[in-house]
Structure formats: C-alpha cells, structure tokens
C-alpha cells in the first residue's frame, strides 16, 4: 500500500511540475500585462497583437515551412533506410543501425558544430570561399537530426510484419516495387506516420542546429532566417519575452492537444474495428 501511494505521488508530482508552468502561461495569455504575475483584467489583446506582429508571423511561417519540408524529406529517407536495412545481411544491417545511432545519442551541439565545419569546408574548397549558409544548409541540418528518429519508428513495424506477406506477393506475380508499395508500406504506415510527427516536433523544437546552420532566405528575405526559437532567444537578450508569446504558447498547446486526442480516438476506433472483425470471423468459424 505504501509503495502504491509513493508511486502515485511521484507520478502526480512529475505531472504537476510539467503542466503547472504551461497552465500559468495559458492563464496569463488572457491579460495584456507585460510580466507574468500582474493581472490587468481579462482580454484577448495578446491574441490580437500576436497576429498583428509581422516579426512573429514571419518567424512562425519560417518555422512551419522548415518543419514540414524537413519532416517530409526525413520521413522519405528514414523509411527507405529502414526498409533497405531490414532486408540487408546481418552485419551490414548492424553497421547501418550503428551509424544511425550516432545523431541520436550524440550531443546536439556536436552535430551543429560538425555541420558548420562541413559547410565552411565545402564553401572554401569547392565554391571558392562562398558563404553557403542559407535555407538549404538549415534544411540539411534539420534532416540530419530528424531522419534517424524516423528510422527508429519504422524499424519496429518492419520487425512486427509477417515476412511471408512480401514473399507471397512476389509469388502471386507482383514485381518487387509493387510488393513494396502494396504490401510493405501499408503494414508499416503507423510507424511512418509516427516518424513524420516526431520529425515535425523535432524541427519545431530545435534551436541549436537552427542557430548554427541558418542563413538568409524564406520569409526573412535578405536577413538571417528567424524561427520561433531563435526569435525568443533574441528577445530574451534584449529584455523580457514578448507577452504575445504567451498567446502563441496557448495556441500551440491546444493544437497539440487536439492532435493527440484525434490520434487516440482514431487508434481506438481501429482497435475496436479489428476486435469486432476478429469476433465475427471466430463466430463464422464456430
């Protein structure tokens, strides 16, 4: 009984520490006070100011564009790598998985510095000292940190898949490419989707790689690309975080919450449908 009470207390304490700061931000997003702790009355002024701020809108636009493009590229590379690695010989597969683990376990600052060194080296040695830092270097950095996680999400689904399905498709006349699209991909689709969502999350959340590999481009024009994370960091240097960021935090939290609820409902429906289908098949067999 004591162990159970301690276990529940620990869980609730962690949840409290995680969600109380978010709830405080949400609460004070409905007042136009500059500092948290001061209440100037209930209002939606911060939400209006958020959408009127060109600087914040540019940062949000850059963040979303980079997140979606890098997530799509990472999902393609990670999925193809996982499928290819699954059908490699044991030693080759082990080598590929070890290489894939390097960006996962390595410190992000190490990855960022190594990318900077690589881009500077390529710019000096191949392009005659040209500065390569732009949207493309930023995109490459986000793909490097996201693709390994897609690989790790797709790999378990491949291991769970019945290997005879692919072989049966080949025996029934499918070309290897057709069997891949019609049999393998539908089986691993949940892993691909999970990897895609994780890649978007990693890109939205990233600061270190973004700060080191960004250049001019996208909605920022000739200026350095600003994302939400780099904009917040720049504002902290000069003074308090813009109060509009509290409204942005609330919107992001609500969107994420709705997505999680939607995915949970979809999965529960899928589980119920499969259970009902299995029950009907058993009844027919009986």
């Amino acid at each position: 009984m004591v162990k159970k009470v301690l276990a529940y207390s620990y869980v609730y304490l962690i949840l409290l520490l995680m969600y109380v700061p978010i709830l405080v931000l949400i609460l004070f997003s409905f007042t136009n006070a500059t500092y948290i702790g001061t209440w100037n009355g209930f209002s939606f002024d911060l939400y209006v100011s958020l959408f009127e701020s060109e600087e914040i809108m540019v940062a949000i636009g850059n963040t979303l564009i980079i997140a979606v493009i890098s997530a799509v590229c990472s999902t393609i590379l990670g999925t193809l790598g996982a499928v290819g690695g699954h059908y490699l010989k044991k030693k080759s597969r082990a080598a590929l998985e070890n290489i894939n683990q390097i960006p996962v376990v390595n410190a992000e600052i190490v990855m960022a510095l190594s990318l900077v060194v690589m881009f500077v080296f390529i710019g000096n040695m191949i392009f005659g000292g040209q500065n390569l830092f732009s949207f493309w270097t930023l995109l490459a950095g986000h793909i490097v940190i996201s693709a390994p996680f897609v690989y790790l999400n797709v790999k378990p689904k491949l291991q769970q898949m019945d290997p005879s399905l692919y072989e049966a498709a080949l025996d029934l006349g499918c070309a290897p490419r057709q069997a891949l699209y019609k049999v393998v991909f539908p089986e691993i689709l949940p892993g691909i989707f999970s990897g895609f969502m994780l890649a978007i999350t990693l890109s939205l959340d990233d600061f270190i790689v973004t700060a080191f590999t960004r250049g001019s481009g996208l909605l920022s024009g000739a200026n350095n690309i600003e994302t939400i994370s780099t904009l917040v960091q720049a504002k902290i240097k000069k003074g308090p975080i813009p109060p509009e960021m509290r409204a942005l935090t609330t919107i992001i939290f609500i969107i994420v919450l709705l997505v999680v609820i939607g995915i949970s409902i979809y999965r529960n429906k899928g589980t119920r449908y499969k259970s009902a289908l299995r029950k009907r098949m058993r009844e027919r067999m009986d």
Side-chain angles (χ1 to χ4, degrees), residues 5 11-12 19 26 29 31 34 40 54 77 88-89 92 126 128 135 143 166 169 192 200 221 235 259 278:
V5 171
V11 171
Y12 288 133
Y19 288 107
I26 292 172
S29 71
T31 185
T34 303
N40 291 343
E54 183 180 353
L77 290 174
L88 286 175
K89 294 181 179 179
S92 300
I126 300 177
F135 161 72
I143 292 172
Y166 179 75
I192 296 174
I200 284 185
K235 293 296 182 182
V259 169
R278 287 172 184 171

Side-chain angles (χ1 to χ4, degrees), residues 1-248:
M1 184 66 182
V2 176
K3 289 183 179 179
K4 192 174 182 180
V5 171
L6 290 174
Y8 276 110
S9 300
Y10 174 76
V11 171
Y12 288 133
L13 177 62
I14 296 299
L15 291 174
L16 190 69
L17 293 174
M18 287 175 59
Y19 288 107
V20 164
I22 297 175
L23 294 175
V24 169
L25 282 175
I26 292 172
L27 175 65
F28 281 93
S29 71
F30 294 103
T31 185
N32 58 8
T34 303
Y35 297 97
I36 292 178
T38 304
W39 186 265
N40 291 343
F42 185 88
S43 72
F44 291 98
D45 291 348
L46 293 185
Y47 291 89
V48 175
S49 300
L50 172 66
F51 290 101
E52 289 179 348
S53 173
E54 183 180 353
E55 187 178 36
I56 296 176
M57 288 295 105
V58 167
I60 293 172
N62 287 335
T63 304
L64 292 176
I65 292 170
I66 295 165
V68 172
I69 296 176
S70 66
V72 171
C73 295
S74 298
T75 302
I76 293 171
L77 290 174
T79 301
L80 294 178
V83 172
H86 183 70
Y87 291 103
L88 286 175
K89 294 181 179 179
K90 189 175 181 180
K91 289 184 179 179
S92 300
R93 183 169 63 250
L96 178 63
E97 290 179 357
N98 288 332
I99 293 171
N100 184 76
Q101 287 291 341
I102 294 174
V104 176
V105 301
N106 218 342
E108 195 171 350
I109 184 67
V110 175
M111 297 301 302
L113 286 172
S114 63
L115 286 168
V116 170
V117 171
M118 182 186 72
F119 293 138
V120 170
F121 176 79
I122 293 173
N124 289 335
M125 299 300 295
I126 300 177
F127 294 96
Q130 184 178 350
N131 181 12
L132 298 182
F133 291 96
S134 63
F135 161 72
W136 300 106
T137 56
L138 178 55
L139 178 63
H142 280 234
I143 292 172
V144 166
I145 63 173
S146 300
F149 288 93
V150 177
Y151 180 101
L152 293 175
N153 273 270
V154 176
K155 177 186 167 184
K157 295 299 179 182
L158 286 164
Q159 292 173 337
Q160 295 169 10
M161 185 182 69
D162 187 352
S164 62
L165 291 175
Y166 179 75
E167 296 171 2
L170 295 177
D171 292 338
L172 291 171
C174 281
R177 184 178 297 178
Q178 289 178 317
L180 188 66
Y181 289 131
K182 294 183 178 181
V183 177
V184 176
F185 282 162
E187 288 290 321
I188 64 174
L189 192 59
I192 296 174
F193 179 73
S194 299
F196 176 76
M197 295 302 296
L198 182 58
I200 284 185
T201 303
L202 289 169
S203 179
L204 292 173
D205 187 51
D206 181 76
F207 168 74
I208 297 176
V209 171
T210 301
F212 276 77
T213 60
R214 64 178 175 156
S216 60
L218 287 181
L219 303 180
S220 299
N223 299 321
N224 273 348
I225 295 172
E226 286 286 1
T227 62
I228 295 173
S229 59
T230 58
L231 178 64
V232 170
Q233 192 268 346
K235 293 296 182 182
I236 290 175
K237 281 184 177 180
K238 298 177 182 178
I241 299 175
E244 294 84 4
M245 287 299 176
R246 302 201 295 266
L248 178 60

